[in-house]
Amino acid sequence: MRAIKSTDENEINKKLHVIVNETNKAATKAKTSIHMLKKENVRLEKEGLVRSSDLRIRENLYNATLNKFVDVTKKCKEAEEQYKINLKKKVSRNIRILIPDASDNDIDMIIKSGNCERENVYQQVILGNNASDVIRSMLQSVSQKYEDILLLEQHISELHQMYLDFSLLTEHQGEVL
């Protein structure tokens, strides 16, 4: 393993945010398309425009697509959660560098306290010790990681909501059959 410069890390974070946003847009589009497919199947069944064998094929395709989407959504959620855990570990390591005698509770309070309070703690430590540029860049990195954690929490909650929506759709589909 090698250390990553903060400028490289910033660029990676920007790329990550773009990827996450594009993924969320694609997931929303896929969700809408799958929902439209279900509506179309219901409409075709009600109007009797297709044979029952064709309708079963369409419903099987819908089910396979829905299951695949749910599986991919789960994997995406797991990857984001693992990334979030890794970010928290990194922030914790950075805090321990700045405040070596900080307890786990202190670290959790600093992380959860919000960006302004955390920055005040960091600035007090940095300014109080006449710290070097390395520590100042670490402060910036920790602040940025916290923002990344908040963004990932938001994306995870959005994915969770999509998963719940599809769970309800799947449950409703079972009632229809």
Side-chain angles (χ1 to χ4, degrees), residues 143-157:
S143 298
Q144 203 168 28
K145 291 301 169 193
Y146 179 73
E147 296 301 320
D148 290 342
I149 288 170
L150 291 178
L151 183 64
L152 282 172
E153 285 178 352
Q154 177 187 352
H155 291 300
I156 288 171
S157 68

Side-chain angles (χ1 to χ4, degrees), residues 37 41 52-67 173 177:
L37 181 62
N41 285 350
S52 63
S53 60
D54 290 339
L55 187 60
R56 278 193 305 263
I57 290 170
R58 289 179 63 88
E59 287 186 9
N60 286 338
L61 288 172
Y62 165 78
N63 289 332
T65 304
L66 179 63
N67 289 335
Q173 179 184 356
L177 292 177

Side-chain angles (χ1 to χ4, degrees), residues 3-55:
I4 298 176
K5 296 178 186 174
S6 67
T7 54
D8 293 339
E9 196 169 327
N10 291 341
E11 192 170 319
I12 290 169
N13 286 334
K14 287 178 185 175
K15 289 179 183 178
L16 176 66
H17 292 303
V18 170
I19 290 170
V20 168
N21 288 334
E22 288 175 359
T23 302
N24 284 341
K25 287 177 186 175
T28 302
K29 185 176 178 181
K31 177 183 170 185
T32 303
S33 297
I34 291 171
H35 188 66
M36 295 297 288
L37 181 62
K38 178 63 178 172
K39 282 184 174 181
E40 187 177 344
N41 285 350
V42 169
R43 182 185 61 82
L44 290 173
E45 182 179 21
K46 283 182 181 178
E47 294 176 4
L49 297 175
V50 295
R51 295 181 301 192
S52 63
S53 60
D54 290 339
L55 187 60

Side-chain angles (χ1 to χ4, degrees), residues 156-172:
I156 288 171
S157 68
E158 289 172 4
L159 283 172
H160 178 70
Q161 185 59 46
M162 273 195 259
Y163 182 73
L164 290 176
D165 292 346
F166 277 110
S167 174
L168 288 173
L169 279 173
T170 304
E171 186 177 305
H172 176 69

Side-chain angles (χ1 to χ4, degrees), residues 64-117:
T65 304
L66 179 63
N67 289 335
K68 182 67 175 177
F69 181 78
V70 168
D71 290 342
V72 169
T73 304
K74 281 182 186 178
K75 287 180 184 178
C76 185
K77 181 180 174 185
E78 290 169 2
E80 283 189 351
E81 294 229 6
Q82 186 60 46
Y83 183 74
K84 177 182 165 185
I85 289 168
N86 291 341
L87 279 178
K88 282 187 176 183
K89 286 180 183 177
K90 185 173 183 176
V91 169
S92 177
R93 281 193 308 270
N94 290 341
I95 291 171
R96 287 205 186 274
I97 289 170
L98 292 172
I99 311 170
D101 58 341
S103 68
D104 290 338
N105 288 336
D106 293 338
I107 292 172
D108 287 341
M109 284 188 347
I110 291 171
I111 289 173
K112 292 178 183 178
S113 67
N115 202 26
C116 291
E117 182 63 32

